[in-house]
Amino acid sequence: MTTSSENQKLIVVTGASTGMGASAARELARQGFHVLAGVRRERDADAIRSTGIEPVILDITKSEQVEALAARVADDPRALHALVNNAGIQVNAPVEALPMAQWRHVFEVNLFGHIAVTQALLPALLRANGRVVNISSIGGTVAMATYGAYAGAKFALEAVSDSLRREVAPLGVRVVVIEPGGVRTEMAARGVATANRLADRMTPDQEERYGSLVRANNELMTSGTASGLTADAAARIIAKAVTTRRPRTRYTAGRDAAVVTRLARILSDRTLDRILAANLRRHYPKRDDAIEARPVRARVRDLGLCK
């Protein structure tokens, strides 16, 4: 448990409806902080509301809700100890096949929204010598096939975190990045469902090029999540970054994240490509399954019944 002085401190956690965000909110409340837990729906607010957790309606892409959060923090006499930028979405599709509107939406949620919340709360964090904890991903260090948009936003978040850290460290604010690998949350299942919806919209030629890749990646994502950290275990790493007196600039969460991050530092791009391809190859559908899974229009075309 923290000292009694911590009872007078606030923490903001975005994306606290489920998964790591909800678990982090509960862990930090357990340690004595007053947590403003960002959720998007009233039913999510009802689910997480408890001792030490005050839900706030927050879509980080909506400026009026970000401004309302900043006003709520400014009106509170307690110091803002930390902002945990956790909100995010997972969208997987080949670069060629992902519509531009989806690219922009991923960056709005996974990058620009975090920047908006950070800008809004930095005055309070500067007054309190607080800290910013940005939840990145293993995808912020290695961009796997079909992860172009997701990894692109996470790579950018890592870069913004580095720049922000160097700007505000002399002013007393610490910036920390958390890089989780597979975590057993609802986000991965939603990501697979989204990937399947996007795959259904691919053209026949795109299906021919990428259909098996998408299905293999979905299998890999599902298996990696099933064997990954629990949300509570990941939350304890987030809490450590929030509470330790001198936090590291980066923490990995999960063995897979630690291994891949280390490999990315020491291996050439080509060598890493081969390792990732070999790992993915095990999840490719068998030929008969792949044919069956292809859209009807593609199979009809193969039979010569249409052009």
Side-chain angles (χ1 to χ4, degrees):
M1 297 289 290
T2 55
T3 64
S4 60
S5 63
E6 302 288 11
N7 292 327
Q8 302 306 310
K9 292 185 177 180
L10 297 176
I11 293 181
V12 170
V13 179
T14 69
S17 297
T18 61
M20 286 191 298
S23 291
R26 294 187 183 104
E27 176 62 22
L28 291 164
R30 187 189 69 79
Q31 295 192 25
F33 292 96
H34 185 80
V35 180
L36 300 179
V39 298
R40 295 180 61 197
R41 295 174 290 266
E42 289 294 344
R43 67 174 181 269
D44 297 325
D46 294 337
I48 198 168
R49 184 181 287 107
S50 62
T51 302
I53 298 180
E54 177 188 337
V56 293
I57 299 300
L58 178 65
D59 180 335
I60 64 173
T61 68
K62 295 184 177 179
S63 58
E64 66 275 13
Q65 294 185 9
V66 173
E67 291 166 5
L69 171 66
R72 167 66 186 82
V73 170
D75 289 342
D76 199 298
R78 292 169 288 199
L80 179 61
H81 177 69
L83 162 63
V84 180
N85 281 314
N86 171 74
I89 57 172
Q90 186 159 345
V91 175
N92 292 80
V95 170
E96 178 189 354
L98 186 63
M100 286 308 303
Q102 286 287 334
W103 279 92
R104 293 187 176 97
H105 182 56
V106 171
F107 274 74
E108 283 292 340
V109 177
N110 289 358
L111 178 65
F112 300 134
H114 297 318
I115 295 172
V117 176
T118 301
Q119 287 181 338
L121 296 184
L122 259 179
L125 290 166
L126 288 164
R127 286 193 297 271
N129 290 335
R131 63 189 64 180
V132 178
V133 178
N134 286 332
I135 309 303
S136 180
S137 166
I138 188 175
T141 59
V142 175
M144 295 179 285
T146 79
Y147 279 75
Y150 180 80
K154 293 298 188 180
F155 266 72
L157 182 63
E158 298 255 354
V160 170
S161 299
D162 285 341
S163 185
L164 179 65
R165 185 181 71 250
R166 290 159 185 155
E167 292 165 1
V168 299
L171 305 176
V173 172
R174 299 181 184 274
V175 178
V176 183
V177 172
I178 310 289
E179 297 168 338
V183 180
R184 282 176 263 167
T185 68
E186 296 175 12
M187 182 176 176
R190 290 194 297 266
V192 169
T194 299
N196 286 329
R197 285 196 300 273
L198 291 168
D200 288 342
R201 301 173 191 169
M202 291 194 298
T203 67
D205 286 341
Q206 290 171 348
E207 163 65 28
E208 184 70 32
R209 288 191 282 271
Y210 308 117
S212 293
L213 170 64
V214 169
R215 287 184 282 277
N217 195 68
N218 285 347
E219 287 294 326
L220 176 60
M221 193 188 318
T222 300
S223 64
T225 299
S227 61
L229 287 180
T230 65
D232 288 346
R236 288 192 288 272
I237 297 171
I238 296 171
K240 180 179 180 181
V242 167
T243 59
T244 193
R245 190 171 67 87
R246 297 189 65 182
R248 302 203 304 262
T249 58
R250 278 174 171 79
Y251 293 86
T252 57
R255 182 176 179 274
D256 55 343
V259 169
V260 171
T261 300
R262 192 172 299 116
L263 289 176
R265 294 194 190 107
I266 63 176
L267 298 179
S268 69
D269 288 346
R270 298 297 186 192
T271 301
L272 188 58
D273 287 351
R274 287 194 290 271
I275 291 173
L276 294 175
N279 187 47
L280 187 59
R281 196 174 299 120
R282 298 182 294 112
H283 298 276
Y284 267 75
K286 296 177 182 178
R287 187 175 184 277
D288 290 345
D289 293 340
I291 292 173
E292 182 63 28
R294 295 177 65 202
V296 171
R297 61 183 176 181
R299 284 183 273 141
V300 169
R301 183 192 59 185
D302 290 346
L303 293 173
L305 300 179
C306 68
K307 295 182 179 179

